[in-house]
Amino acid sequence: ECDFGPTDDWSRLGIPLPDNKIDFEDLMIFSMNWGNVTPAGLGTYVATHVVEDLSSLVKFDVVSIDENTIAIVLRNRAEALKGVHVVVNVSGADLLKVNRGSVFAGRSDLFFGTLPATAGDADICAAALGVGTPLVGSGEIARLVVKQTGESPAVVTIKAVDLRNVDNEKTEITAAEEHETPFVPKATALMQNFPNPFNPVTTLTFDVAQAGSVTIQVYDVSGRLLATLLNARVEVGRHRVEWNGKNANGSLVPSGIYFYRMKTAGYEATKKMILVR
């Protein structure tokens, strides 16, 4: 950890002004001088670059890999992008870990790091190392590992983006962009209801890997059909239906053991639930 930034003019040749914290500013000064630190008086290389509007050439997407993994993807068409600082917020889930993305695989000329997470925020920093060296290309810069804290999917918000060119000139994107992470299941599956036992309502959760007609029905222990909770076309993803302990006529059924069955093309499953009044 080295506290030597920012500099007095934000350039790589400015006078260091340590601010008692290690953050994105230190990374930028470090990356701009990588491999080119020289004794005073020996001269330095001055980088040149094209003038670009980074805000129109650099974008970030949030992509759900699975229920617990979310990728932050860089879409980069700039020639002079040097470093990025992305602040991402996760709600509806605990943020467990932030891993470097695939764009850094096998690359010794790129740096990836994170700042300590606070209140669900992840501070993701990346930069290309070397004088005048840009961060080129697109791809995953980070993967967030989360654990849902409720029934609803995690909501990921890109709160702010700080872009720097090869001379450390700043472009900020402050408009927050919210993404509810879609869950794309690998297989169709029926989960155990929750709560179980229940009174008066329980939730039945199921995954659909291929869009199509889905039927979910409730039966008593004798196999008699009590209620049809769902009979419709369902899109790919995770879905939920509720049963309120009533039959098709709207009458409350007594305490006891009941079964719910899911049928769709190529899949059928039955699970047991207990109603306690």
Side-chain angles (χ1 to χ4, degrees), residues 74-98:
L74 167 67
R75 311 292 184 189
N76 177 28
R77 295 184 292 113
E79 296 180 18
L81 178 66
K82 180 70 171 177
V84 300
H85 176 202
V86 185
V87 181
V88 178
N89 178 264
V90 178
S91 60
D94 293 328
L95 178 59
L96 303 181
K97 193 174 183 181
V98 181

Side-chain angles (χ1 to χ4, degrees), residues 126-269:
L129 302 176
V131 179
T133 304
L135 198 168
V136 296
S138 302
E140 287 184 18
I141 64 167
R143 283 200 175 193
L144 280 59
V145 180
V146 303
K147 181 181 180 181
Q148 286 186 212
T149 54
E151 290 294 314
S152 300
V155 175
V156 176
T157 305
I158 296 180
K159 296 175 61 176
V161 176
D162 182 354
L163 307 175
R164 304 295 177 90
N165 65 14
V166 292
D167 283 341
N168 202 30
E169 295 167 339
K170 178 188 294 190
T171 299
E172 288 186 329
I173 304 174
T174 56
E177 184 174 357
E178 185 176 279
H179 305 259
E180 181 174 299
T181 59
F183 173 48
V184 180
K186 297 179 181 179
T188 298
L190 177 65
M191 270 69 84
Q192 187 63 51
N193 65 302
F194 182 85
N196 188 42
F198 69 96
N199 178 27
V201 178
T202 188
T203 299
L204 285 56
T205 303
F206 61 98
D207 291 345
V208 175
Q210 183 175 354
S213 178
V214 176
T215 301
I216 296 181
Q217 297 174 310
V218 178
Y219 298 84
D220 62 17
V221 292
S222 66
R224 181 166 55 101
L225 175 63
L226 296 178
T228 298
L229 305 181
L230 178 66
N231 185 15
R233 176 181 172 81
V234 175
E235 299 301 319
V236 172
R238 173 157 290 179
H239 306 274
R240 296 169 178 84
V241 294
E242 291 186 343
W243 186 44
N244 57 8
K246 296 181 180 180
N247 60 25
N249 297 323
S251 300
L252 292 172
V253 301
S255 298
I257 296 174
Y258 296 90
F259 298 90
Y260 59 99
R261 179 180 297 166
M262 172 181 170
K263 289 184 179 180
T264 187
Y267 181 84
E268 181 175 337

